[in-house]
Amino acid sequence: MPLKKIILARENRAAIRNKIADSGNISLSVSLNVPGFPKTSECYTNFFREIIHEIKRFLKARLVELKEELITADHAGDFFICSVTNANCSPEQLKQITESFEMNHPLGRFIDVDVFDKEGKPVSSGKSKKCFYCGKYSAIECMRSKRHSLEEIRKFQEEKMMQYFSGKKKDNVCRELAALASRSILYEVALSPKPGLVDYYNSGVHNDMDYFTFLNSSAAISQYFNQLAQAGYVFTGDFSGALPLIRETGLQMEKDMFASTNNVNTQKGIIFLMGVALFITANIISNTNSFDIEKFKEVSTNIGKTLLAELENNSTEKTHGRVCYEKYGKGIGGGARYEVASGFSTSIHSGLSLLANADFGKLDYEELQSLLMDVLLSIMANNSDTNILYRSDLQTLNDLKNKAAEALKSKGTKEQKSQSLIDFCKEKKISPGGSADLLAVSIFLYFVNNKFNHGS
């Protein structure tokens, strides 16, 4: 009979508690409030193990010391028990702490944390708990009156647990993507020396910004990366509707960027490009539980259709990008919009392709710097950078492309490879900021592919 087995399991648990009490310690145990039989399942066990991680972290943060931990499953369900050795933590204080955990956890009513004092006696809060299904009556009242069927309660409970897992997964993925985006931008900023661009050693051709200006703006915009990833993760429908969501966050990022840089435009381009890339990657991972670069290109192209339509609309604002588009066409003057519409072709074919077989973790400082310089040169050799087109002309851009291609083929240190380009940019007073943005996106795609492409 299941009931006899449950009673026996609870007697075994009591014996463990008594043993802890005999050693002069408080005991803490965790179980789940599971109606009916069986008392455990794959769903319940997965939820239980997640809860154990959470409560142990919660207790450690409050300086509660756990010893002799045991986690098991029996006919009474999943079970965790340990002794608490803090001399300055009374059973009553511990009970208050665990109650706080239960009360503030979104599924706290599914969790039962028991505290027994040094004599093996239970410490009660004396509070009546509400039924976790209806929330109207006390749990004991609903149980005794059999107000709800076991089937509907268990179904409700498992659905809530699955929703909880889904939310945790979303938060974990988006938090990881946000961190990778921040890393990618900082890697680009740290690459030194860079032709015409701000780096650790100098400000390139810029007299209104330096390395610390970029650190300031990177810190200001990075707080929004999680928000962009979250928006992409839950997005459904036609991707033409994605741009307003991305731009809404992007406009706030621009505002914070300018506030942190004294109104200097340091990273407006990367705000747009990284925003789109984050949104797409989160959406793909949400729908497929993995990352696929071909799918990334497909979604990017779909979003880009709206961007190209905007370029062709003569009534839109006369931005630098529009000026270049009207003068040179989308293939040369399309800028960041065309990069997205082409499926991030430059970032992928000229950037990611060079990074694909690299292992950043095995590269020392100089090796990583050298690799990133080659990627930047590859991008510069193939990117129609509208930063240069707007401030100079097509001939200057083509000269820079040729010099970048020559430097990429040459041998030597990153300083030797970049010197002729540094001199050229200084002479022409140009800065390939668009290529720097694409370097950051390439690094981001490398990180994402390594982390989330489970088929590779």
Side-chain angles (χ1 to χ4, degrees):
M1 293 291 290
L3 185 57
K4 288 184 177 180
K5 292 180 179 179
I6 290 173
I7 293 173
L8 179 59
R10 288 175 177 170
E11 289 175 351
N12 291 335
R13 294 178 181 186
I16 298 173
R17 288 195 183 97
N18 291 334
K19 186 177 180 181
I20 293 173
D22 290 341
S23 66
N25 290 321
I26 302 167
S27 69
L28 178 149
S29 63
V30 184
S31 57
L32 298 181
N33 295 316
V34 180
F37 308 103
K39 292 293 184 182
T40 189
S41 67
E42 183 179 0
C43 179
Y44 286 128
T45 297
N46 289 339
F47 176 71
F48 178 77
R49 291 185 179 273
E50 178 62 33
I51 292 304
I52 297 305
H53 288 305
E54 292 180 20
I55 196 167
K56 286 173 68 174
R57 183 171 62 243
F58 181 89
L59 294 171
K60 185 176 183 179
R62 286 150 185 82
L63 305 181
V64 177
E65 299 173 11
L66 307 182
K67 302 289 184 181
E68 300 173 326
E69 299 175 14
L70 172 67
I71 184 169
T72 186
D74 52 33
H75 286 90
D78 296 285
F79 184 65
F80 171 86
I81 190 168
C82 65
S83 59
V84 179
T85 59
N86 297 55
N88 60 345
C89 182
S90 70
E92 291 73 23
Q93 289 173 325
L94 181 59
K95 186 63 178 178
Q96 289 178 355
I97 292 171
T98 59
E99 276 192 331
S100 175
F101 176 83
E102 289 180 353
M103 290 174 61
N104 291 291
H105 194 282
L107 298 183
R109 282 294 292 114
F110 297 170
I111 307 162
D112 193 11
V113 186
D114 291 317
V115 174
F116 286 73
D117 64 19
K118 294 179 181 181
E119 296 179 358
K121 297 178 181 178
V123 180
S124 174
S125 65
K127 298 176 183 177
S128 175
K129 295 183 178 180
K130 292 282 188 181
C131 169
F132 64 66
Y133 181 75
C134 68
K136 295 180 180 179
Y137 310 98
S138 72
I140 293 177
E141 184 181 350
C142 284
M143 181 179 66
R144 287 175 177 171
S145 64
K146 297 182 180 180
R147 184 171 280 115
H148 319 295
S149 71
L150 291 176
E151 290 76 15
E152 62 185 348
I153 296 175
R154 286 176 70 96
K155 181 180 179 183
F156 168 82
Q157 200 171 41
E158 291 188 359
E159 286 176 351
K160 288 293 184 182
M161 288 178 181
M162 294 307 294
Q163 290 171 11
Y164 182 72
F165 290 138
S166 179
K168 291 279 286 188
K169 177 190 171 187
K170 180 187 73 171
D171 290 344
N172 290 339
V173 168
C174 293
R175 188 167 55 246
E176 181 72 21
L177 289 176
L180 295 180
S182 295
R183 282 177 63 189
S184 303
I185 287 176
L186 292 175
Y187 274 40
E188 183 278 311
V189 174
L191 175 59
S192 304
K194 295 194 290 284
L197 298 160
V198 172
D199 58 41
Y200 181 79
Y201 300 111
N202 62 74
S203 298
V205 301
H206 303 278
N207 55 19
D208 57 351
M209 62 183 82
D210 57 26
Y211 183 71
F212 286 100
T213 315
F214 268 83
L215 294 185
N216 291 342
S217 63
S218 296
I221 68 175
S222 63
Q223 62 183 310
Y224 296 99
F225 289 155
N226 187 282
Q227 185 175 319
L228 285 161
Q230 293 266 351
Y233 197 95
V234 301
F235 181 81
T236 57
D238 193 317
F239 281 103
S240 61
L243 276 174
L245 297 175
I246 298 169
R247 280 179 170 151
E248 186 175 359
T249 301
L251 289 170
Q252 183 61 50
M253 293 169 75
E254 287 181 16
K255 181 181 178 181
D256 284 13
M257 175 195 72
F258 284 123
S260 72
T261 61
N262 232 0
N263 290 319
V264 175
N265 175 15
T266 50
Q267 292 171 306
K268 193 172 180 179
I270 198 60
I271 286 174
F272 171 70
L273 288 168
M274 190 63 78
V276 174
L278 266 168
F279 189 96
I280 296 173
T281 52
N283 186 264
I284 293 171
I285 294 168
S286 171
N287 290 316
T288 66
N289 200 37
S290 184
F291 178 75
D292 179 74
I293 197 68
E294 294 302 320
K295 184 63 178 178
F296 177 86
K297 289 157 64 175
E298 177 188 332
V299 176
S300 177
T301 303
N302 287 336
I303 292 177
K305 292 175 182 177
T306 304
L307 290 168
L308 292 182
E310 291 174 352
L311 278 176
E312 293 165 3
N313 184 354
N314 292 326
S315 64
T316 55
E317 181 185 358
K318 290 288 182 180
T319 61
H320 293 179
R322 167 154 291 285
V323 171
C324 291
Y325 166 74
E326 291 178 349
K327 188 172 183 179
Y328 299 105
K330 67 181 181 182
I332 296 176
R337 287 185 176 91
Y338 187 68
E339 177 69 12
V340 173
S342 67
F344 280 87
S345 59
T346 311
S347 300
I348 293 171
H349 298 300
S350 301
L352 180 61
S353 61
L354 272 70
L355 295 170
N357 297 319
D359 186 345
F360 281 18
K362 294 182 179 179
L363 301 178
D364 63 25
Y365 175 83
E366 288 299 332
E367 290 170 334
L368 181 55
Q369 285 268 335
S370 179
L371 172 62
L372 296 183
M373 176 57 70
D374 283 351
V375 176
L376 177 60
L377 293 173
S378 175
I379 291 171
M380 288 174 61
N382 292 279
N383 179 37
S384 294
D385 197 321
T386 52
N387 285 267
I388 296 171
L389 281 176
Y390 181 79
R391 291 173 176 80
S392 187
D393 53 39
L394 183 58
Q395 183 59 54
T396 301
L397 173 63
N398 286 333
D399 288 345
L400 183 70
K401 282 184 171 184
N402 291 332
K403 287 181 177 294
E406 292 172 4
L408 182 62
K409 294 177 183 177
S410 67
K411 296 181 179 179
T413 65
K414 67 179 188 301
E415 289 82 6
Q416 292 169 332
K417 288 183 175 182
S418 62
Q419 191 57 55
S420 65
L421 288 162
I422 291 173
D423 296 338
F424 183 79
C425 289
K426 186 175 181 180
E427 176 192 347
K428 299 294 183 178
K429 296 181 173 58
I430 56 173
S431 176
S435 294
D437 294 338
L438 298 185
L439 170 60
V441 172
S442 299
I443 297 169
F444 173 71
L445 293 176
Y446 163 82
F447 284 143
V448 172
N449 198 54
N450 278 9
K451 178 72 177 182
F452 293 101
N453 185 354
H454 305 307
S456 62

